[in-house]
Amino acid sequence: MQLQVVRVPMTTRSALGMVHVAIGRIAQSELKKTVSPVVVEDDNLLLGPSSADPARHRAVRSRYWGSEPSAELNEELARPDGPPICVALPPTVSGLLSFCRICASGLERRRAVFIVDLGSHAVPFPQGCDPAEELYFDVAEALRRNPSMIRCSELELALLATLWKLWCRRSPVAIARFCASGGTLHPQLANLGRYLAGYFPRQSGGDLLLSRLDELLLRQLSREWITPTKVFTNALRENQGLHAWLAHIGDLFVPKRLLEWSRHGDGRSVERKEHPEKPSEMNRWSFRWRAGGEAILDALPSLRDAPPISIGGAVAYDADRPWVCRFAAGGTPYLSRLGSAAGSDRRA
């Protein structure tokens, strides 16, 4: 089936009886100026656990954040039936994941899904093992251009729903393989594949190393105390590696992950110091290497020496399900089970 392009002015789209979905609060504010009703996806699904079961997904996201994000959108997607859904989709990896979740719901409940593409043509292709940095994106300007509204075909809904289900699997192997081979289907797939692989410890020959993301983050530490704010500003100034990652995950990932490291194994690698007079999470804590802790940058003794971290349906550094990141001949990362023959999981 071919894409059905529908050129409809923004000011008249409300009359079509659609429910409009904004990805992010800024987009919600802009959309409300011209269409109604508008519900918002204000959850970054790149962070933390997800589930293909809608009820469980709401529960795990609420536990992760401490309250339920995207509550109105979740209620809309839970309706047994309803009007068409129109998603204003930004050119971001997190936007793609949110769109996949919406498509999975639309397919299950037989609701038509439309897309207003706000700029996928501007998505840069990643170079190396890190995802490409997200480009600056002006939501208001994109909406003022009155972009076309496109109805997703049944085939597209099925593909995007499948991608969401793969993201939510306990094994990350299949989605990593899909992203590595499907870059021509959507410009963000290559970025998503590198993003996912960067959470898992790397295996090179017989050596086990930290994940790419943890290595970039922990290399900011020294024997001197440093706050997450300083880590973040250093990454922005250096404009290498970690800078691109933080564009996807945000600044608050820095204190969260460093706290996990400082609490793991009684802080045998990273120690912390609290500044209770500073309420901001970015300045409330300082971190540094414990004596000898930086040796973990050269070799990871075992998976149990790093704090586990959930991503999608999988868990990185899980000793019971030991997934590791390897690299194909061309440098593309892929995931496989620790101890398996190189490339065997990719052929599975």
Side-chain angles (χ1 to χ4, degrees):
M1 296 179 67
Q2 298 295 317
L3 289 177
Q4 180 183 353
V5 180
V6 184
R7 176 70 70 174
V8 180
M10 292 291 293
T11 53
T12 63
R13 287 179 185 173
S14 294
L16 298 177
M18 294 180 167
V19 173
H20 297 265
V21 179
I23 309 296
R25 296 280 177 183
I26 296 177
Q28 180 191 31
S29 177
E30 291 298 324
L31 272 178
K32 281 187 172 181
K33 295 176 182 178
T34 53
V35 295
S36 178
V38 178
V39 295
V40 63
E41 166 74 292
D42 58 0
D43 190 1
N44 186 352
L45 298 176
L46 291 173
L47 298 170
S50 290
S51 174
D53 177 79
R56 174 169 167 73
H57 180 77
R58 296 178 71 170
V60 297
R61 300 306 290 176
S62 294
R63 285 197 297 270
Y64 181 76
W65 293 116
S67 60
E68 182 183 359
S70 308
E72 287 186 345
L73 173 60
N74 292 337
E75 291 295 330
E76 181 61 41
L77 296 180
R79 292 171 59 175
D81 53 26
I85 302 170
C86 183
V87 182
L89 184 64
T92 64
V93 183
S94 59
L96 172 62
L97 270 183
S98 293
F99 187 51
C100 290
R101 181 170 83 98
I102 293 166
C103 287
S105 175
L107 185 67
E108 179 183 358
R109 301 181 184 278
R110 304 191 65 81
R111 296 177 68 175
V113 178
F114 290 78
I115 177 176
V116 174
D117 192 337
L118 300 182
S120 63
H121 60 279
V123 175
F125 195 86
Q127 304 296 322
C129 60
D130 298 319
E133 181 183 351
E134 288 188 356
L135 300 177
Y136 171 75
F137 174 68
D138 190 329
V139 175
E141 175 58 28
L143 290 173
R144 281 195 294 269
R145 292 197 300 267
N146 189 27
S148 297
M149 184 171 60
I150 303 170
R151 179 169 181 168
C152 293
S153 69
E154 292 182 7
L155 177 59
E156 287 179 306
L157 286 179
L159 284 172
L160 291 163
T162 298
L163 181 59
W164 173 245
K165 292 175 182 177
L166 292 179
W167 176 260
C168 295
R169 279 188 181 178
R170 298 177 79 175
S171 166
V173 172
I175 187 172
R177 181 170 65 240
F178 184 94
C179 290
S181 61
T184 58
L185 296 176
H186 193 285
Q188 287 290 15
L189 284 176
N191 279 324
L192 181 61
R194 283 161 172 76
Y195 178 88
L196 176 67
Y199 272 76
F200 288 84
R202 293 163 292 172
Q203 187 177 26
S204 177
D207 297 328
L208 193 62
L209 304 171
L210 291 172
S211 72
R212 171 65 172 168
L213 179 53
D214 274 339
E215 180 194 17
L216 290 171
L217 180 61
L218 293 179
R219 284 199 182 279
Q220 293 286 332
L221 300 185
S222 68
R223 290 294 298 142
E224 303 296 325
W225 292 107
I226 188 171
T227 65
T229 293
K230 187 64 174 177
V231 170
F232 187 79
T233 55
N234 284 349
L236 294 180
R237 185 179 66 253
E238 293 166 2
N239 196 22
Q240 296 177 350
L242 186 59
H243 178 242
W245 282 90
L246 293 176
H248 296 282
I249 58 184
D251 56 353
L252 291 180
F253 178 87
V254 176
K256 180 177 176 60
R257 188 58 179 161
L258 289 176
L259 280 170
E260 290 170 349
W261 270 101
S262 70
R263 291 164 177 162
H264 186 72
D266 296 323
R268 70 169 65 101
S269 297
V270 176
E271 59 181 331
R272 69 181 184 273
K273 178 172 64 175
E274 186 175 8
H275 311 283
E277 74 281 3
K278 298 180 178 179
S280 168
E281 289 297 310
M282 295 295 290
N283 293 298
R284 185 178 176 183
W285 306 92
S286 295
F287 302 90
R288 70 179 182 185
W289 287 115
R290 195 173 292 278
E294 59 267 36
I296 205 169
L297 291 171
D298 299 318
L300 180 63
S302 74
L303 293 177
R304 299 186 189 279
D305 288 296
I309 183 168
S310 296
I311 176 170
V315 179
Y317 299 108
D318 184 349
D320 296 326
R321 293 180 176 82
W323 312 112
V324 292
C325 175
R326 291 168 168 163
F327 295 89
T332 301
Y334 67 94
L335 297 173
S336 61
R337 194 173 182 88
L338 178 64
S340 65
S344 61
D345 287 293
R346 289 186 295 156
R347 295 190 297 268

